[in-house]
Amino acid sequence: MADDGEEQLEFDFGKKKKKSKDKKEKTEGEDGEVTLVSTEWEKGEAYSYDDLLSRLYQIIEDKNPLLGTTKKYIMKPPQVVRVGSKKVGWVNFTEICNLMKRPVDHVINFVLAEFGTEGSTTSDGQLTLKGAYKEKHVESLLRKYIREFVTCEMCKSANTGLDKDQSTRLWTVNCHNCGASRTAASIKAGYHAVTRADRRAAKNAA
C-alpha cells in the first residue's frame, strides 16, 4: 500500500510542460500562420552635393517664404539745400526717418555726432545743419546709419525694428523676418574741428 501511495504522489513535470507547449502551438495555429518574407536590398538613386543643397534651400523656402525672397530696399536720396552762407538744410529728413521707421531723435543724434556739428529741426520736418555739407556727404552718412541701425545682419532684410532696452539702456535691432536680434552700436561723436568760437568759449571758461 505504501508503494501505491508513493506512486500516486509522483508528478511528471515533463509531461505538463509538453502539454502546455502543445497548447501554445495550437493557439498560434488558430490565430494565423506567420510567414517570413525575404527581400533583396536594392541600391537607390545617388544624389550629388549640389542636388542635396538645392533640396535644402527648397525646403527652407517652403517652410519660410519670407526668407526665400528678399525685397530690394529703396531709399529716397537726401535733398540738401543751402541756408544762408554757413548752414545747409536737409529738406526730406523727417520723410526719410519715417521710411526707415526710426525715431527722429535717434537719427538726429547720429547725424550730429558723425558730422561733429550742431543742428535742429524746423516745423516742416527739415533738419538744419551748421556747415557746408553736400548731398554726397549726407548720402554716405545715411548709408552708414542704415547698415548699423536698420539692416539685419543675418538675412540682410530692412524689415526691422529699433527698440531700447530699459534695463541696459541699449538699442537693439530686431528683425521681423528671421527673428534675429542684435545690440546696435552706441552712437559715438566723430571728429569735430575746433573753431574760433570754441577757442573763445574755452578761454572764457578758464
Side-chain angles (χ1 to χ4, degrees):
M1 293 295 292
D3 295 335
D4 295 337
E6 290 180 357
E7 292 180 358
Q8 291 178 0
L9 294 175
E10 289 182 358
F11 296 94
D12 191 351
F13 294 100
K15 289 183 180 180
K16 287 186 178 180
K17 284 186 177 181
K18 186 175 181 181
K19 192 179 280 187
S20 175
K21 185 176 181 181
D22 295 340
K23 185 177 181 181
K24 184 178 180 181
E25 291 177 355
K26 186 178 181 180
T27 304
E28 291 178 355
E30 292 177 354
D31 293 341
E33 296 181 355
V34 180
T35 58
L36 298 177
V37 180
S38 60
T39 58
E40 295 182 358
W41 179 80
E42 296 181 359
K43 185 178 180 180
E45 182 180 357
Y47 295 95
S48 63
Y49 174 79
D50 295 334
D51 294 338
L52 295 175
L53 191 62
S54 300
R55 290 180 61 185
L56 176 62
Y57 281 131
Q58 187 63 40
I59 293 174
I60 294 176
E61 291 180 2
D62 294 340
K63 298 294 183 180
N64 305 278
L66 295 178
L67 293 179
T69 56
T70 56
K71 296 181 179 180
K72 189 176 181 180
Y73 189 63
I74 301 176
M75 177 58 61
K76 288 186 176 182
Q79 300 175 3
V80 180
V81 296
R82 293 292 298 270
V83 179
S85 59
K86 296 182 179 181
K87 294 183 180 180
V88 294
W90 187 347
V91 179
N92 57 347
F93 173 75
T94 304
E95 181 182 1
I96 290 179
C97 292
N98 295 332
L99 290 175
M100 295 189 301
K101 299 179 181 179
R102 293 298 180 264
V104 175
D105 295 339
H106 187 266
V107 182
I108 290 177
N109 293 335
F110 178 80
V111 172
L112 298 182
E114 289 293 324
F115 280 158
T117 185
E118 300 175 356
S120 60
T121 56
T122 59
S123 58
D124 57 351
Q126 176 177 312
L127 176 62
T128 303
L129 299 172
K130 185 178 179 181
Y133 301 104
K134 298 181 179 180
E135 290 185 352
K136 62 179 181 180
H137 301 143
V138 178
E139 183 177 351
S140 177
L141 186 64
L142 185 60
R143 291 178 183 273
K144 183 177 181 181
Y145 182 87
I146 292 174
R147 183 172 62 254
E148 295 185 0
F149 298 100
V150 178
T151 305
C152 175
E153 291 185 351
M154 296 297 294
C155 64
K156 307 303 179 183
S157 172
N159 186 19
T160 59
L162 187 66
D163 303 318
K164 191 171 186 178
D165 192 345
Q166 298 299 329
S167 59
T168 60
R169 310 295 294 176
L170 296 175
W171 292 93
T172 57
V173 180
N174 303 313
C175 182
H176 301 318
N177 284 0
C178 66
S181 178
R182 63 178 176 88
T183 302
S186 58
I187 297 177
K188 298 179 181 179
Y191 172 74
H192 176 64
V194 180
T195 61
R196 183 180 299 176
D198 295 334
R199 289 194 294 267
R200 188 184 301 112
K203 185 177 181 180
N204 295 333

